[in-house]
Amino acid sequence: SYDEKQIDALRNGDLAGCFGSAFAGLDLQNPPRLPGGRMRLVHRVARIDPRGGRYGMGLIRAEADIHPDDWFLTCHFVDDMVMPGTLMYECCLHTLRIYLLRMGWIGEHDQIAYEPLPGIWSELRCRGPVTPQTRMVTYEVQIKEFGYNPEPYVIADAFMYSDDKMTVYFKDMALRIAGLSREQIENLLRERPSPVTPIGETVPDLSRKPAVFDTDRILAFAVGNPSEAFGEPYKMFDRDRRMARLPGPPYSFITRITETNARPWQLESGGWVEAQYDVPPDAWYFRANRQSSMPFSILLEIGLQTCGFQAAFMGSALHSDS
């Protein structure tokens, strides 16, 4: 088990400060780090067992304290505060990363990246929320497969509990460590220097398109008057009734809606929407993730918020009496 001080050591790149002397003196110029800042989602580890879990291949159980004024509650949603589902995924992912660090799957921080494993389908089941009334959440990850292909990869099942009540189940949560190989790991753990080839990707230059719905209207839907986003039929939701909303800042990830073929207030199949998000170079999640790649939970949330906007634009809330 590891207490809060030890987990914070991982956020500072101090592997030995968490895991002990076996991780001291490694030939690393810039050790890997656990995300911090707003992405400080794990406070302590209650148990690690390399032979535990349903499959006998490893188990980790971590915990975090929840406070009514936590940022991810106050921005999601304005009148129904719950932890975002994509952030729940990120919590379990951080727990898995701690397990992999303890396994010794480490390399230079700026030269490795935690990425989804292509070709693996994952399943998510939500059974309940994390709310301001929640006192503590528990993340349990059970390893079911790991190896090299040729990069290190792991497949696991993850469970999240809200005050001991199951909240989320992730089946086949899959992760690979890009930029790392078995040889590099083994060389490093023998305390011999090993070269690591930097990796990088070319990001396409997507042009900015005119907005059909601008940022102000999107924020009106999230934290303001829905009628300012969608018109007079939504006037009832400004004061008298509640509806499903988008998260507000800092968990708002749509800058503009650029195109849609759907008809307003008409709930029918076949509609689509195009949205754009201007990624700030100094965004909080880059600093919190301690690396230059966007956390996978944010990528998921961008698509999810676009779906939420489309549903509201097509009048989903207008078809309910409550």
Side-chain angles (χ1 to χ4, degrees), residues 17-162:
C18 181
F19 300 135
S21 59
F23 285 77
L26 294 176
D27 187 21
L28 286 172
Q29 302 302 313
N30 189 13
R33 292 168 171 77
L34 196 66
R38 285 200 179 108
M39 297 293 268
R40 189 176 182 272
L41 303 172
V42 179
H43 294 160
R44 54 196 167 269
V45 171
R47 181 187 177 197
I48 284 186
D49 182 353
R51 295 180 178 84
R54 176 182 178 185
Y55 308 98
M57 301 187 70
L59 174 143
I60 178 171
R61 187 177 295 119
E63 299 171 344
D65 300 318
I66 302 297
H67 309 93
D69 59 349
D70 282 332
W71 70 271
F72 48 79
L73 294 174
T74 57
C75 75
H76 186 277
F77 301 95
V78 65
D79 53 4
D80 184 23
M81 294 192 295
V82 295
M83 177 183 275
T86 45
L87 208 61
M88 292 179 178
Y89 177 94
E90 191 77 23
C91 297
C92 296
L93 185 64
H94 290 192
T95 303
L96 177 58
R97 285 175 60 172
I98 294 172
Y99 185 91
L100 299 182
L101 289 172
R102 182 59 183 85
M103 278 178 58
W105 280 9
I106 52 181
E108 293 289 349
H109 174 74
D110 297 330
Q111 297 173 353
I112 65 173
Y114 296 93
E115 298 179 349
L117 184 61
I120 301 298
W121 289 85
S122 300
E123 180 180 338
L124 163 64
R125 296 182 184 179
C126 292
R127 300 176 181 272
V130 174
T131 71
Q133 287 71 46
T134 302
R135 302 294 299 274
M136 187 180 77
V137 291
T138 302
Y139 324 118
E140 181 176 289
V141 179
Q142 301 186 23
I143 310 299
K144 60 196 308 184
E145 180 181 339
F146 63 88
Y148 302 91
N149 190 27
E151 298 166 322
Y153 77 93
V154 61
I155 302 175
D157 290 340
F159 305 83
M160 183 169 174
Y161 299 86
S162 173

Side-chain angles (χ1 to χ4, degrees), residues 139-272:
Y139 324 118
E140 181 176 289
V141 179
Q142 301 186 23
I143 310 299
K144 60 196 308 184
E145 180 181 339
F146 63 88
Y148 302 91
N149 190 27
E151 298 166 322
Y153 77 93
V154 61
I155 302 175
D157 290 340
F159 305 83
M160 183 169 174
Y161 299 86
S162 173
D163 289 334
D164 297 326
K165 181 179 180 180
M166 181 180 286
T167 304
V168 170
Y169 167 52
F170 295 106
K171 180 183 178 182
D172 292 340
M173 184 170 67
L175 188 71
R176 68 174 176 179
I177 308 180
L180 194 60
S181 70
R182 180 172 186 166
E183 179 183 11
Q184 291 168 349
I185 293 171
E186 291 176 349
N187 286 341
L188 179 65
L189 296 181
R190 293 191 192 103
E191 300 185 358
R192 292 204 306 263
S194 62
V196 181
T197 303
I199 63 171
E201 297 180 358
T202 301
V203 179
D205 182 17
L206 299 176
S207 59
R208 179 179 299 189
K209 297 182 179 180
V212 178
F213 287 82
D214 60 17
T215 304
D216 289 342
R217 293 180 71 180
I218 293 168
L219 289 177
F221 172 34
V223 298
N225 294 323
S227 65
E228 296 177 16
F230 302 119
E232 187 66 25
Y234 275 81
K235 198 77 175 177
M236 69 183 87
F237 299 106
D238 290 351
R239 292 184 181 82
D240 301 329
R241 288 182 54 186
R242 294 169 57 185
M243 62 174 291
R245 301 278 198 131
L246 290 182
Y251 216 65
S252 176
F253 303 120
I254 302 177
T255 303
R256 68 191 71 84
I257 302 296
T258 56
E259 193 173 355
T260 179
N261 76 335
R263 294 187 297 167
W265 318 318
Q266 301 298 316
L267 198 59
E268 53 194 6
S269 62
W272 56 266

Side-chain angles (χ1 to χ4, degrees), residues 267-284:
L267 198 59
E268 53 194 6
S269 62
W272 56 266
V273 63
E274 180 185 80
Q276 291 187 337
Y277 172 51
D278 295 335
V279 181
D282 60 347
W284 63 267

